[in-house]
Amino acid sequence: TVAETGDCGATRNITHGTGACFTLSGNVKEALTGLNVGNVLVSVQTQAGVEVKNAATNIMGNFTIPFLMSNPDYKIIITKAGYKTGGILHYVFANDQTVQLYLFPNNFLGLAAIVLRWTDITDLDAHLRFSAGGTDYHLYHRSREVGGSSLDLDNTTQNGQETVTIKSAEAGVEYSYYVKSYLHQCFNAKTKVQLFDEFGMLISEFTGRLTDEVRWNVFKFIPSLGASSLVTEDNYETNSPESEKEGIELHDEAVQLKKIFSSIIEKSK
């Protein structure tokens, strides 16, 4: 049992912590919209579920929890009426830190959600590939609803977000997630991918890096097995068999459109 210096003076006995005091600051946003969420209860807990300290977010979604003791494995739980319980199940505190947290609305239904966010790049595209029941599926901006998974939109802005929702999945099926730069621009460290479970808890976060490659292979994941199945790839490539296949798909689409337009013109004569 370690005495927690709640104000670095007064103490109460809780089994946690290893030493110095520090401050945890952060912000809470709605995962699907990126909007700040006020009046969220942010609770720092031990892995046994014992609350160490808490705070509420202000109208801008910001919070500060001072005088926490360093701990190799806290968890952060966030709650608000109308939203699923969210947070981070394993978070290492060792000094003053700032954390970004997200909430999902109660009406979010899915086994997992993958959120891509980017800044100072134009038009990144989320891609999800998997095979189930003898069929190969490719979820991306030209095919936004396949095999029980969906992509919310094709965001072509400079600072954007795209969310993939895995609504249903066959047992044991592995999903491969990657990001492509549609305009072949460089990736940067402001690009982030977050994987959330069905309860809205953050499983893992991936941060891009500055590179002139056009494809970022992020991770592989088996939704039916949960977080334990996550395999981090985090590598980049200039081209790939999938890229060539996508090029063939686009060419075939262009050929079909040309035939349709030609037919319309002939009928109008």
Side-chain angles (χ1 to χ4, degrees):
T1 299
V2 178
E4 180 208 359
T5 55
D7 60 355
C8 288
T11 64
R12 64 192 178 103
N13 291 326
I14 291 182
T15 304
H16 76 281
T18 57
C21 291
F22 66 96
T23 297
L24 175 69
S25 302
N27 174 268
V28 179
K29 296 183 185 297
E30 186 172 285
L32 302 181
T33 65
L35 297 176
N36 296 321
V37 185
N39 199 30
V40 177
L41 180 64
V42 181
S43 175
V44 177
Q45 302 178 6
T46 67
Q47 285 301 312
V50 178
E51 184 176 85
V52 179
K53 283 182 177 294
N54 68 59
T57 61
N58 61 20
I59 60 173
M60 298 300 295
N62 299 322
F63 69 90
T64 299
I65 303 178
F67 308 123
L68 285 165
M69 294 182 70
S70 58
N71 188 301
D73 197 10
Y74 278 131
K75 61 183 176 181
I76 306 173
I77 304 298
I78 54 177
T79 54
K80 181 177 179 174
Y83 292 89
K84 293 176 177 287
T85 297
I88 303 175
L89 292 179
H90 296 278
Y91 196 85
V92 177
F93 296 145
N95 47 42
D96 289 347
Q97 295 181 28
T98 302
V99 63
Q100 181 65 64
L101 302 170
Y102 296 91
L103 281 173
F104 282 84
N106 278 335
N107 61 4
F108 170 78
L109 299 175
L111 295 175
I114 309 165
V115 182
L116 164 67
R117 296 182 177 88
W118 66 88
T119 302
D120 297 336
I121 311 175
T122 300
D123 195 2
L124 294 185
D125 289 320
H127 291 253
L128 187 72
R129 284 187 178 272
F130 58 99
S131 297
T135 301
D136 293 332
Y137 293 101
H138 181 194
L139 180 74
Y140 70 125
H141 60 93
R142 291 180 176 272
S143 182
R144 288 168 40 199
E145 190 83 33
V146 300
S149 296
S150 65
L151 173 66
D152 60 344
L153 77 164
D154 176 22
N155 193 324
T156 61
T157 62
Q158 184 177 34
N159 304 314
Q161 172 177 319
E162 292 186 1
T163 300
V164 168
T165 301
I166 300 174
K167 302 174 184 178
S168 61
E170 291 186 15
V173 172
E174 184 177 66
Y175 288 63
S176 176
Y177 180 87
Y178 61 93
V179 180
K180 291 190 68 176
S181 172
Y182 186 78
L183 299 178
H184 288 205
Q185 295 179 327
C186 297
F187 284 94
N188 63 28
K190 297 179 182 178
T191 307
K192 292 187 180 296
V193 169
Q194 294 166 315
L195 173 62
F196 296 89
D197 68 14
E198 61 186 306
F199 305 109
M201 300 297 292
L202 180 66
I203 294 175
S204 190
E205 179 176 275
F206 307 86
T207 301
R209 62 177 183 268
L210 183 62
T211 174
D212 59 1
E213 310 287 356
V214 300
R215 169 169 161 158
W216 177 22
N217 300 308
V218 187
F219 64 84
K220 293 182 178 180
F221 175 62
I222 302 176
S224 63
L225 297 182
S228 63
S229 68
L230 180 65
V231 176
T232 299
E233 293 190 295
D234 195 18
N235 60 70
Y236 296 80
E237 56 185 278
T238 301
N239 206 344
S240 64
E242 288 81 1
S243 298
E244 294 169 3
K245 183 178 179 181
E246 288 158 20
I248 293 171
E249 291 170 353
L250 290 175
H251 176 266
D252 290 345
E253 288 179 16
V255 170
Q256 290 301 318
L257 287 173
K258 185 176 180 180
K259 289 180 179 178
I260 292 171
F261 288 136
S262 297
S263 175
I264 292 173
I265 292 171
E266 285 296 323
K267 289 180 180 178
S268 66
K269 290 181 179 180

